[in-house]
Amino acid sequence: MKTKLKEGSIRLFEEKGFSATSVQDIVEAAGVTKGTFYYYFQSKEQLLMDIHSDYIGDLLMRQEAIRQSEASSREKITSIIGLLIGDIEQHGPSGRVFFREMRHLKQANAEAVKRKREQFRMNIEELLREGVASREFRRQIQPDMAAFAILGVTNWSYQWFNPAGSIPAEKLAEIFSDMLLNGIMSEGGKEHDGISNH
């Protein structure tokens, strides 16, 4: 029942927003009483916190599996991009609630979620540093800025990407990976502009 309440609230928060969704809306959608709701959650805000904790916790767990693999740094970064884009297809409503509604968390809860989000970013940054050390990536890159760029591109996709559209999630992940890891300028363009790969 706790899972049912959580899943129903995610749909409502996505459609109506956290503030416009009442506990009554949630229990009516689940077909239960308010007593049942308060048996599992102290408040609507605690429910929102549970949604956030589950979402970022699951991402961190799957990211860690990628980090611990035997793949190269480039392959790991590509897999993380694929993880984030693929997640839109699998858990789009949860992701949109995660990004849109965090402002409604109490300060302590928001800070706890931010620490986990920061850990996710720092893990990407560390992979980029490892890639520079192994000469997979150019030594001139700034891993901290590159990590922000990867997350900026992928996270904003929650606002517009439709997995049922003409480009599937897997293809979009390939496009982003190529753009972020290889750039968009042709080799001829680099030569023309005097930009070196060395």
Side-chain angles (χ1 to χ4, degrees):
M1 180 52 66
K2 185 175 184 179
T3 300
K4 183 177 180 181
L5 284 166
K6 195 177 296 183
E7 290 176 349
S9 68
I10 288 170
R11 288 192 294 271
L12 288 168
F13 292 161
E14 182 192 20
E15 293 169 5
K16 301 175 62 174
F18 177 80
S19 296
T21 302
S22 67
V23 171
Q24 187 63 37
D25 292 331
I26 295 169
V27 298
E28 285 181 1
V32 299
T33 65
K34 284 188 177 180
T36 300
F37 177 90
Y38 288 112
Y39 176 80
Y40 292 107
F41 305 102
Q42 293 179 352
S43 64
K44 190 175 70 163
E45 193 269 346
Q46 191 213 334
L47 167 60
L48 183 64
M49 178 59 183
D50 277 14
I51 292 169
H52 277 71
S53 293
D54 289 350
Y55 186 79
I56 189 61
D58 179 64
L59 281 178
L60 279 167
M61 180 179 67
R62 288 186 286 157
Q63 184 194 50
E64 185 61 22
I66 293 170
R67 292 178 67 220
Q68 295 300 322
S69 72
E70 297 298 321
S72 66
S73 297
R74 180 188 178 91
E75 289 168 338
K76 289 177 182 179
I77 292 294
T78 299
S79 293
I80 289 173
I81 293 171
L83 165 67
L84 293 168
I85 298 302
D87 204 67
I88 300 174
E89 185 173 39
Q90 300 298 319
H91 307 289
S94 295
R96 282 183 281 277
V97 169
F98 181 82
F99 290 112
R100 294 174 185 171
E101 306 295 343
M102 194 173 80
R103 66 187 184 277
H104 296 294
L105 293 175
K106 293 178 181 177
Q107 183 176 353
N109 285 338
E111 288 176 354
V113 172
K114 286 177 181 177
R115 284 194 295 271
K116 291 182 179 180
R117 291 178 69 167
E118 182 75 357
Q119 184 60 57
F120 193 92
R121 183 187 65 79
M122 293 295 291
N123 290 341
I124 294 175
E125 185 177 327
E126 180 60 27
L127 286 175
L128 291 166
R129 292 187 191 282
E130 291 173 4
V132 170
S134 65
R135 298 187 178 181
E136 292 179 65
F137 305 138
R138 291 185 293 110
R139 66 180 182 274
Q140 294 93 342
I141 72 165
Q142 293 182 250
D144 54 347
M145 294 296 100
F148 277 120
I150 289 169
L151 288 173
V153 168
T154 53
N155 288 343
W156 185 251
S157 300
Y158 279 92
Q159 304 297 324
W160 60 267
F161 177 56
N162 177 14
S166 59
I167 298 179
E170 184 177 355
K171 179 61 177 177
L172 182 62
E174 290 177 5
I175 292 170
F176 280 172
S177 294
D178 179 61
M179 181 178 67
L180 289 162
L181 295 173
N182 298 325
I184 61 174
M185 186 176 288
S186 69
E187 289 301 314
K190 290 179 181 179
E191 292 172 4
H192 178 75
D193 289 345
I195 298 174
S196 172
N197 283 324
H198 301 296

